[in-house]
Amino acid sequence: VKVDEVNRQVCFVLRPGYQLPTPTGPTGQLYADKTRAPATSSATPATTPGVVVAAVPAPAPITPTTPAVAVSAPVAPVLPPVAPAKDGSIPAATLTAAAKPSTPEVPAPKAPNQLAVAAPVIEVKPAPPSRPLPQVWTAEVGSTLRDSVEEWAKKARWRVIWAQEDLNYPIEAPLHFEGSFQEAIKQLFPLYDNAPRSFVVDGSEGSQSVLYVAERKKK
């Protein structure tokens, strides 16, 4: 058996004394013929007499190996030295703490910073009801009491009944009152209670607002 490590071939040749005459072809051509000849079986003879070519097994496929990942064992925490008790024993709490492997604390993922913006609360206050402007009632110097009262009644849509036609007084000082028509009348006629002829005033407010003015009878 001859092994050709360069061409990766195994050949069978005859022992000395059984060999045939050497072929006239060159050795390089012999090896080329051996390479081109299909190797079907280890017992199939080559074209060149006296030489048997054995089949070359196919190389085994190279399978990549995954490198092993070394997993480090948990490292036991280093505890401070503990003084043993008087009897030489070590407290059980210390042994328990040493037996438990330390588990590293994994910080929880932080949530993204979110700014909570509260919606502005707008408080709408109802506007206070507008107060009507006070009415003003005036009596100018030179006019009379009856003329002023009848002018006020016309402005307030009242009707005046003046019982005594000759009962009247001139306005000698300006008069000024604020409020409703009824309030002005209540403040006006009491000014004449000490007059020689005073007044009795009555009125009814409704669909027909009427003001009745008469002379007060003396007892």
Side-chain angles (χ1 to χ4, degrees):
V1 178
K2 288 186 178 182
V3 178
D4 187 353
E5 295 182 358
V6 178
N7 296 322
R8 301 178 64 86
Q9 295 179 354
V10 179
C11 301
F12 296 90
V13 296
L14 299 177
R15 291 181 179 180
Y18 297 92
Q19 297 180 354
L20 297 178
T22 303
T24 60
T27 308
Q29 185 67 30
L30 178 62
Y31 283 111
D33 295 341
K34 293 179 181 179
T35 305
R36 285 193 293 268
T40 55
S41 175
S42 59
T44 304
T47 55
T48 303
V51 179
V52 179
V53 180
V56 180
I62 301 174
T63 304
T65 58
T66 303
V69 179
V71 179
S72 60
V75 180
V78 179
L79 299 177
V82 179
K86 294 182 178 181
D87 54 355
S89 61
I90 300 176
T94 305
L95 296 177
T96 305
K100 293 182 179 179
S102 60
T103 303
E105 297 182 0
V106 179
K110 296 183 179 180
N113 296 330
Q114 297 179 356
L115 299 179
V117 180
V121 179
I122 302 176
E123 182 179 359
V124 180
K125 296 182 179 180
S130 58
R131 299 178 60 184
L133 297 176
Q135 294 178 325
V136 180
W137 313 93
T138 59
E140 301 295 335
V141 178
S143 63
T144 62
L145 177 62
R146 181 175 181 178
D147 294 341
S148 300
V149 171
E150 288 180 350
E151 183 181 355
W152 293 357
K154 184 178 180 180
K155 182 179 178 181
R157 296 182 181 181
W158 280 62
R159 187 166 64 92
V160 178
I161 298 176
W162 202 275
Q164 284 77 20
E165 296 291 335
D166 59 341
L167 180 60
N168 197 2
Y169 293 98
I171 301 297
E172 297 179 354
L175 302 177
H176 181 90
F177 304 100
E178 292 183 0
S180 62
F181 173 72
Q182 298 91 319
E183 294 175 352
I185 294 299
K186 290 179 182 180
Q187 299 179 44
L188 174 63
F189 282 99
L191 299 177
Y192 296 90
D193 288 345
N194 297 327
R197 300 171 66 183
S198 58
F199 297 91
V200 176
V201 182
D202 190 11
S204 60
E205 183 179 4
S207 58
Q208 296 181 356
S209 300
V210 179
L211 180 66
Y212 181 80
V213 181
E215 182 180 0
R216 186 188 298 274
K217 293 181 180 181
K218 295 183 179 179
K219 295 181 180 179

